[in-house]
Amino acid sequence: MNSETFNKNKLSWLEEQVNVDFPTPESLKGRDIYLSQNACVPTKLEFVNSNIPDGVFVLPVTEHRLTIRWAMIVAKQWDKEYDDVLEFLTQIELSEEYQLFVALNGMMPIAACLSQVIDGELFISDIVITDNTLDVDGFLGSVMEQQSSLHGTTFTTCIKA
């Protein structure tokens, strides 16, 4: 699979998140804003040992409280539309197909991403870091390590999509 297909499938999955009986107007608006973003140029990244500062934890999102923290970071990409995008992203139901990750400094969310493993390849998108205590190499290194553990394989690269 290539990054274009990954992005298309990811957007389709996210769009379905508000296909409920009574979606809020804000979540529908947030969905439209999120879906209208430009796709980033795919980049292959090499594994770098994760150098995570003390007090910072990179966690897979496994419950709604972490989903909210994940959404708070990802929505920061939109200044004026933050509230609407946040409303949309907090509605995400966890999926075995897509894994969300959030980095917390104490209880404060400082980084987030969405990942998927397809045919032995790791795709990572929606990478947002809001605090300079954590760098992208350390964050993605930790995500690669955790995905390696979850999937029983060693990821030495990922596709930033």
Side-chain angles (χ1 to χ4, degrees), residues 135-151:
D135 64 27
V136 71
D137 288 336
F139 178 56
L140 294 182
S142 181
V143 169
M144 286 177 167
E145 286 175 347
Q146 291 186 52
Q147 284 288 46
S148 294
S149 179
L150 288 169
H151 290 274

Side-chain angles (χ1 to χ4, degrees), residues 110-121:
I110 61 170
C113 72
L114 180 150
S115 67
Q116 183 181 29
V117 175
I118 306 164
D119 299 330
E121 203 162 18

